[in-house]
Amino acid sequence: MALTSRAVLVALAGLVPVALLPAPITVVAWAVVAATLCAVDVALAASPRQLAVSRRLPASVRLTGTADSVLTLRNVGRRTARVLVRDAWPPSTLPGGDAPTGARTPRHRVDVPPGEARRVTTTLVPTRRGDAEAGSVTVRTVGPLGVAGRQASLDVPGRLRVLPEFASRRHLPSRLARLRELDGRAAVQVRGGGTEFDSLREYVDGDDVRSIDWRATARRDEVVVRTWRPERDRHVLLVVDTSRTSAARVLDGTRLEASVEAALLLGVLAAHAGDRVELVAYDRRVRARVADSHASRVLPALADALAVVEPALVETDWPGLVGQVRSRLSRRALVVLLTSLDPASVEQGLLDVVGGLTRRHQVVLAAVADPELEQLRAARSTVDEVFDAAAAERTALERAAVGARLRQRGVEVVEALPDDLAPRLADTYLALKAQGRL
C-alpha cells in the first residue's frame, strides 16, 4: 500500500476533533476512520500489475543532443487506472541531472481507462558519452479518494548509446575544400601537389617547368605538362591510447575526449580523400576496434566504437601496441598515435619500439597540451609562483626534449590545446598527403 500527500492532509484534519473531544475516544475513532478510508481506496485502486508497459527508444544520440524515451501504458484490467509513473534513468541523462541539487526525476500523471493505452514521454539530454541503461519503471495507482493506492516497480529494459559530440565537425568544410584543391577538383591559383600521375594538359604561366612532358610536347604543337593528384587508397590507422595518461584532466575534459574528437575528424577527412580508415583503442588490451569499412560508414562506425571507450588506470603496453599495428598493416600506412607526450611514459616505453614502426610506416604522434602549464610559466609575482614557474619550465623543456627525440626517429609530433588538436592533426595529414609522404 502506498500513501499519497492527500492522506497526510486527512491525518492533519483529524487534529481538530482530537483537540475538541476526549482524547481516548477521538484518537481511536479517527484512526479507525483513516484506516478505513485507506483500505477502501486501496481496494478500489487498479492493480499496477494490470498495466502492460513497453518502451520505445532510439538506438543512439549524440552527446548534448536530445532523445525521447516513450513509455506506452496499456490497461488490461477492468478499472480505470489513475497512474503516477516514474521512468528512472541515470542522472547524467536527465536535464539538470548534474546540478548540485541532484537529478530532477521525471514523473508523469495519466489516467488509463480499461482496454486503452496512453503514452508518456521523458526527454533525455545526455551529458556523458557511453551506454545509459534505463532503470525500472515505478507505477503507482491511486483510488478514487486519492489517499492511498498500490505501487509496483516493473522491469522495462532500455539502453541508449550516447555517441561523442564531434564538435570538431565545424573544421571539416575548410579541410575538405583544401582536399579538393589538392585533388585538382577546385579552381585554385596553384597546382595541387601529389605523386600519382593524373593527366596531361597545356602549359600555362606559373606551371613548374619540371612538370613538362617533353615527349608529349614533341608530338604536339604546344607545350604539355603532367598533372598530379594526391595518393588515394592509402591506409590510415588511428591508435587511441586509453591508458592512465588519457584520464588526466585538461580544462573541462580529459585527454581522451580530445583524442576522440581528433580521431573522428581525421577519420572522416581521410575517408573523403579515398583512404581506408581503421581504428584501435588500446592500453594493455584492445578496448575498441573499427575495421576497414565503406567511406559512408566510417563516421558512424568510429562514433559507435569510441562511445564506450573509457580510460583504464594501467600503463600502456607499447610492445603489444606495436604488435597490434603490425598485425593489421601489411604495407606502408599512416599510423596516428593519439597519446600523451608525458616524458616518463614516452621514454620508458614508446622510444624503445617506435623505430620498428617508422621503418615501415609514416608515424604521427598527436598529444594534448595543457594550457595551465603556460599560465604557471608566466606567473612569477610571488615566491610560490616562482617555484611553480620553475617546475612548469622544467616540464616544458622535458616535453620538448622528448618531442625532439621522437622527431629524430622519424615521428611527426603534433601538440596542441584540446580545441586545436583536431584541426592541427587534420592539417598535418593534408600536408603529408600534398608532399607525397603517405
Side-chain angles (χ1 to χ4, degrees):
M1 181 177 69
L3 298 178
T4 67
S5 57
R6 186 174 297 181
V8 177
L9 296 177
V10 172
L12 292 176
L15 295 177
V16 177
V18 168
L20 298 177
L21 298 176
I25 299 176
T26 55
V27 170
V28 174
W30 188 251
V32 172
V33 171
T36 302
L37 290 175
C38 291
V40 171
D41 222 23
V42 170
L44 296 178
S47 172
R49 301 290 179 181
Q50 295 296 316
L51 289 172
V53 184
S54 60
R55 186 191 301 276
R56 188 177 77 247
L57 189 70
S60 62
V61 63
R62 290 206 174 274
L63 186 65
T64 69
T66 60
D68 288 338
S69 172
V70 181
L71 294 177
T72 301
L73 297 87
R74 183 174 299 279
N75 189 351
V76 298
R78 298 181 179 179
R79 299 177 181 175
T80 297
R82 302 171 61 193
V83 186
L84 174 63
V85 184
R86 175 183 179 272
D87 189 8
W89 282 90
S92 61
T93 63
L94 301 174
D98 288 337
T101 55
R104 293 186 295 177
T105 305
R107 300 176 186 269
H108 311 276
R109 293 186 181 273
V110 62
D111 293 344
V112 187
E116 297 187 15
R118 296 291 186 269
R119 292 176 179 173
V120 296
T121 302
T122 301
T123 300
L124 308 175
V125 184
T127 58
R128 185 180 302 120
R129 59 179 176 79
D131 284 340
E133 299 282 350
S136 59
V137 175
T138 301
V139 179
R140 177 184 295 177
T141 59
V142 297
L145 300 177
V147 296
R150 308 180 187 182
Q151 179 172 306
S153 294
L154 308 178
D155 187 18
V156 186
R159 173 182 294 179
L160 177 66
R161 173 151 293 188
V162 183
L163 304 176
E165 182 182 4
F166 194 19
S168 57
R169 183 195 296 268
R170 65 183 184 274
H171 302 290
L172 187 59
S174 60
R175 272 65 188 180
L176 289 177
R178 174 59 180 155
L179 182 63
R180 288 191 293 270
E181 294 177 6
L182 294 177
D183 209 19
R185 289 176 288 163
V188 293
Q189 296 296 322
V190 296
R191 181 175 56 88
T195 60
E196 290 188 357
F197 175 74
D198 186 26
S199 61
L200 296 173
R201 62 170 175 80
E202 182 182 354
Y203 175 86
V204 296
D205 292 340
D207 283 335
D208 192 341
V209 295
R210 292 173 297 181
S211 299
I212 296 176
D213 189 321
W214 295 107
R215 292 185 178 181
T217 299
R219 293 191 297 267
R220 302 186 184 184
D221 295 332
E222 57 188 11
V223 180
V224 177
V225 296
R226 301 186 186 94
T227 61
W228 309 86
R229 62 182 175 89
E231 304 91 341
R232 303 179 69 86
D233 197 29
R234 294 301 191 261
H235 212 138
V236 178
L237 177 61
L238 307 172
V239 182
V240 179
D241 182 8
T242 57
S243 66
R244 64 170 184 83
T245 58
S246 66
R249 302 288 301 183
V250 180
L251 296 180
D252 295 331
T254 63
R255 287 175 177 169
L256 180 58
E257 300 302 327
S259 297
V260 167
E261 286 289 332
L264 291 175
L265 181 61
L266 181 56
V268 174
L269 182 61
H272 277 85
D275 293 334
R276 294 178 295 164
V277 180
E278 290 194 26
L279 176 136
V280 175
Y282 188 85
D283 42 69
R284 301 195 75 84
R285 63 183 181 88
V286 177
R287 304 288 178 173
R289 178 188 175 189
V290 175
D292 187 14
S293 59
H294 191 269
S296 62
R297 287 288 307 161
V298 166
L299 178 57
L302 292 178
D304 187 69
L306 292 172
V308 295
V309 172
E310 296 293 341
L313 300 182
V314 296
E315 296 289 345
T316 305
D317 178 14
W318 289 109
L321 187 147
V322 172
Q324 291 290 330
V325 173
R326 289 176 174 173
S327 66
R328 285 166 171 75
L329 301 178
S330 58
R331 59 191 181 96
R332 181 174 175 81
L334 172 63
V335 179
V336 181
L337 303 177
L338 292 149
T339 183
S340 168
L341 202 59
D342 181 64
S345 176
V346 173
E347 290 176 350
Q348 295 176 9
L350 180 58
L351 281 177
D352 296 334
V353 298
V354 73
L357 291 178
T358 54
R359 280 193 291 269
R360 296 189 57 185
H361 309 291
Q362 176 65 57
V363 180
V364 175
L365 186 146
V368 179
D370 190 351
E372 293 184 1
L373 189 64
E374 294 300 322
Q375 295 175 5
L376 291 174
R377 293 173 63 185
R380 304 187 183 187
S381 301
T382 65
V383 175
D384 291 339
E385 289 181 349
V386 170
F387 278 102
D388 290 340
E393 191 71 36
R394 179 180 180 126
T395 300
L397 291 174
E398 290 176 348
R399 292 173 69 90
V402 167
R405 294 177 66 181
L406 287 171
R407 292 185 180 92
Q408 290 175 355
R409 287 166 170 77
V411 179
E412 289 284 338
V413 179
V414 179
E415 187 177 18
L417 299 177
D419 292 340
D420 299 332
L421 182 63
R424 285 278 303 277
L425 182 59
D427 291 340
T428 300
Y429 165 78
L430 292 174
L432 292 174
K433 204 167 187 66
Q435 298 166 11
R437 295 170 59 186
L438 300 185

